[in-house]
Amino acid sequence: MPRDLFVCSSDRTRAPIAAALFHAAAKAAGMEDELTCDSAGIRAQHGQHIADGVIAVLAEKGIEPRRIGVQMLSPKLIKAAELILVMTSDQEKEITTNFISARNKTKTLMSVMRSDADVFDPNHCSLEKFRACRDMMEPAINELVERLQ
């Protein structure tokens, strides 16, 4: 079961990038088995796959996505997670309103860096936007892994 859960709207862009970056950082720190993660989408649709831009910008860093398909956020995933990291403050509100068990373990990814910035969604945008999204999240992911060591 995952320890950390990254959540975005569809599990097609931001959350899969964050999960792959987290896994790579945990592996580099020698904590691949201790620091596990997964991703999910609040409104993920069965049968969809992560965006091609995700695969491309991860490949630029020598990282593979954790999986190709998307998954819907569920009570089971929330219960299994020790920490739930969302991309926007609106997502944080939605999850903590709809899932009581998520209330004390959900926060925005950028709050790790003491920032109230939301991570923008690069879906249906250029590869440049996917890169910018990845580069925005990477320092927060690295900081998170460092704190969890």
Side-chain angles (χ1 to χ4, degrees):
M1 287 297 187
R3 176 180 177 177
D4 296 319
L5 181 64
F6 295 94
V7 178
C8 66
S9 298
S10 65
D11 196 27
R12 295 193 69 237
T13 55
R14 297 168 288 181
I17 292 172
L21 290 172
F22 182 87
H23 179 74
K27 186 175 181 178
M31 302 202 54
E32 182 178 10
D33 294 331
E34 294 85 16
L35 299 179
T36 60
C37 69
D38 205 348
S39 68
I42 296 170
R43 286 174 273 294
Q45 295 182 6
H46 180 71
Q48 285 194 330
H49 295 86
I50 62 173
D52 291 339
V54 171
I55 297 167
V57 299
L58 290 175
E60 291 174 354
K61 295 270 187 178
I63 301 171
E64 291 188 14
R66 303 286 293 144
R67 71 180 134 63
I68 300 298
V70 303
Q71 70 178 335
M72 177 72 125
L73 182 64
S74 68
K76 182 178 178 181
L77 286 171
I78 288 172
K79 185 176 181 181
E82 290 182 24
L83 178 62
I84 301 167
L85 294 146
V86 297
M87 303 300 138
T88 70
S89 56
D90 287 344
Q91 291 168 352
E92 180 180 18
K93 289 174 193 160
E94 184 175 350
I95 290 171
T96 57
T97 298
N98 294 327
F99 299 96
I100 293 170
S101 61
R103 288 188 181 156
N104 294 322
K105 58 184 177 180
T106 303
K107 64 183 187 175
T108 63
L109 174 60
M110 297 311 290
S111 70
V112 171
M113 304 286 295
R114 293 185 174 83
S115 170
D116 60 0
D118 286 342
V119 177
F120 67 93
D121 189 352
N123 200 20
H124 304 298
C125 293
S126 68
L127 200 54
E128 292 293 321
K129 291 289 187 183
F130 278 88
R131 279 187 197 106
C133 180
R134 177 201 64 201
D135 293 347
M136 178 184 192
M137 290 190 287
E138 195 165 23
I141 297 289
N142 291 336
E143 176 72 21
L144 178 62
V145 169
E146 188 174 307
R147 286 185 191 178
L148 293 173
Q149 289 183 10

